[in-house]
């Protein structure tokens, strides 16, 4: 089935149930269904064709999902763009996707001049939010028929693009098919004890895996509560007010909730699935979360190339690990492979390794992407004898639990966001006082990993940590800007003068038991 078919099932069975609820208002399933048809017809009238790319650039908003549904209903390939990316990255991703349609929020209107100039493939621009002067998505589609013709399709047709990257930080776009999406839904339903009614809270950007969770449950008539941003107090209030059953957060937000002075004031008894992923969670903080929120924690592991649920650690497994001292170490794992995926450990030569030995995590099965869009070389690079390489290093224990212990490449995951050191290093090297530098991820109780720069200063140069952080923030933004900077006389190098980044990084992970 296509993503739109899952939505239509929910709309057919629960037409008057609230589909979306946010600060801007609410939509029933029937209202959302009709709007998606009008959007599809407006796109067709505008010359958009099946297979064209339709991208959404927005902070969380009530109209994000209708925009995606309307695009998918007429056969466009939908993509949610991360609102935190730099303008350079945004333009690169739009060009890479050969974007034809851009749905955008007013927050990003100032970028349109550059986007129009540098991404000429975009033929349709639509602002999704409304105010006194702007009609918004609903007004844009007004007057179009609220029924639209269907089309022939195959399970291997591309439904969505999801942005990915490499160690260089250059963007790639994964091709996820209708069959991939069906596999995600089937995997979640086979792993979770899903009970209706479902009330799902979305408060992290919809471009993140957590933003897509709402789509997964709409076939069951789930109501999605939309918050503009992951503010801890607002999340806790929303759980109690809307009787939330399901939510997905990166560990860093959970840590902020647990540390909030009002965390004990709210009723979390309706929670059934509190999903977390995107970075490992401290076992001690995880134990506290189970105490505060109840036996509802669920961890998943996946990536853009094999979304969300390659492995899972269920509520029952969390409770069992917490209760048994011999199993407590399992709280540091990301669970066991799910029903529709195979996961293994591979060495550099391409041979599979036994339990207990560390190597690259590889996967195959129904979740694995079709490939990278317009990039067969990059697709071939991560494929080996039917397996797809993840770039993560891990090991299995004797009971089949997977532990992620390192990354094969240099990417940093901070607060659930991917940060590529090469981009930050390039920017630091622009500063006249910097002779050389490396950027690494270091352990951080709040962010999982924090971005740190280690800098050699030019002879006769003078610069402070505050100066360099300000230098980065103006261009790179808050996520990519180093949280701290260390100054050294000389970085470690090999015989040909190449900086030994792994050696620099390892100094900050001594006695941690893992390198991620």
């Amino acid at each position: 089935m296509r993503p739109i078919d899952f939505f239509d099932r929910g709309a057919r069975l629960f037409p008057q149930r609230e589909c979306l609820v946010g600060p801007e208002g609410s939509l029933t399933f029937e209202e959302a269904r009709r709007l998606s048809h009008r959007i599809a017809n407006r796109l067709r009238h505008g010359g958009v064709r099946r297979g064209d790319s339709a991208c959404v650039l927005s902070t969380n908003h009530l109209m994000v999902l209708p925009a995606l549904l309307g695009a998918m209903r007429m056969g466009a390939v939908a993509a949610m763009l991360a609102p935190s990316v730099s303008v350079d990255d945004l333009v690169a991703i739009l060009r890479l996707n050969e974007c034809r349609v851009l749905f955008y929020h007013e927050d990003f209107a100032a970028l349109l001049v550059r986007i129009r100039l540098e991404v000429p493939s975009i033929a349709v621009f639509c602002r999704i939010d409304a105010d006194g002067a702007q009609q918004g998505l609903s007004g844009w589609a007004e007057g179009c028929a609220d029924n639209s013709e269907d089309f022939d399709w195959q399970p291997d047709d591309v439904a969505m693009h999801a942005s990915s990257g490499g160690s260089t930080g250059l963007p790639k776009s994964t091709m996820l098919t209708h069959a991939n999406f069906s596999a995600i839904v089937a995997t979640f339903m086979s792993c979770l004890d899903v009970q209706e009614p479902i009330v799902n809270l979305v408060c992290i950007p919809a471009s993140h895996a957590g933003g897509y969770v709402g789509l997964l449950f709409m076939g069951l008539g789930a109501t999605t509560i939309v918050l503009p941003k992951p503010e801890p107090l607002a999340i806790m209030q929303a759980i109690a007010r809307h009787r939330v059953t399901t939510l997905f957060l990166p560990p860093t937000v959970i840590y902020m909730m647990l540390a909030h002075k009002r965390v004990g004031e709210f009723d979390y008894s309706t929670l059934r699935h509190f999903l977390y992923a995107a970075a490992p969670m401290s076992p001690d903080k995880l134990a506290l979360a189970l105490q505060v929120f109840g036996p509802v924690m669920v961890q998943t592991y996946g990536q853009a190339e094999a979304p969300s649920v390659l492995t899972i650690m269920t509520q029952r497994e969390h409770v069992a690990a917490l209760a048994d001292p011999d199993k407590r170490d399992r709280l540091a794992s990301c669970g066991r492979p799910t029903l529709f995926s195979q996961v293994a450990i591979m060495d550099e030569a391409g041979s599979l390794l036994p339990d207990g030995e560390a190597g690259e995590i590889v996967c195959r099965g129904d979740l694995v992407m079709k490939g990278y869009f317009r990039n067969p070389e990059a697709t071939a690079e991560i494929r080996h004898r039917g397996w797809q390489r993840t770039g993560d290093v891990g090991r299995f224990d004797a009971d089949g639990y997977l532990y992620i212990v390192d990354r094969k490449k240099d990417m940093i995951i901070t607060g659930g966001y991917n940060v590529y050191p090469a981009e930050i290093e390039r920017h630091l090297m622009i500063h006249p006082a910097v002779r050389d530098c490396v950027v690494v991820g270091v352990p951080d109780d709040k962010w999982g990993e924090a971005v740190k720069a280690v800098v050699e200063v030019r002879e006769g140069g003078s610069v402070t940590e505050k100066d360099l952080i300000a230098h980065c923030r103006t261009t790179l933004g808050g996520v990519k800007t180093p949280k701290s900077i260390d100054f050294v006389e000389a970085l470690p190098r090999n015989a040909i003068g190449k900086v030994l980044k792994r050696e620099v990084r390892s100094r900050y992970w001594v006695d941690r038991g893992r390198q991620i």
Side-chain angles (χ1 to χ4, degrees), residues 231-309:
E231 197 281 315
L233 181 58
I235 294 170
M236 296 184 292
Q237 290 172 330
I239 292 171
R241 180 185 308 122
H242 297 286
R243 299 185 64 77
V244 169
T245 66
T246 306
L247 76 158
F248 181 111
L249 291 174
T252 182
V253 179
I254 302 175
Y255 295 165
M256 288 189 285
M257 292 169 66
L258 293 171
H260 199 281
K261 62 183 180 181
R262 297 184 60 187
V263 68
E265 296 181 18
F266 302 98
D267 179 9
Y268 308 114
S269 62
T270 59
L271 283 176
R272 295 196 289 267
H273 303 108
F274 195 152
L275 296 117
Y276 67 98
M281 190 166 172
S282 160
D284 289 341
K285 296 283 181 64
L286 187 50
L288 180 58
L290 289 166
Q291 178 184 330
V292 171
F293 301 115
V296 296
M297 305 305 294
V298 179
Q299 183 178 187
T300 68
Y301 164 69
Q303 54 178 193
E305 293 84 352
S308 301
V309 277

Side-chain angles (χ1 to χ4, degrees), residues 12-28:
R12 184 172 62 254
L13 296 180
F14 308 101
Q16 299 310 313
R17 181 178 290 178
E18 286 185 321
C19 174
L20 293 160
V21 178
E24 305 82 16
S26 63
L27 290 173
T28 66

Side-chain angles (χ1 to χ4, degrees), residues 109-118:
L111 306 180
L112 294 188
V113 172
R114 181 173 172 186
I115 290 172
R116 289 179 188 274
L117 179 66
E118 297 189 32

Side-chain angles (χ1 to χ4, degrees), residues 372-394:
Y372 291 119
F373 182 61
R374 299 278 196 266
N375 199 339
E377 296 83 6
T379 304
E381 186 179 342
I382 66 167
R383 299 274 169 84
H384 182 78
R385 297 180 182 176
W387 293 94
Q388 181 163 287
R389 299 179 180 272
T390 67
D392 291 328
V393 176

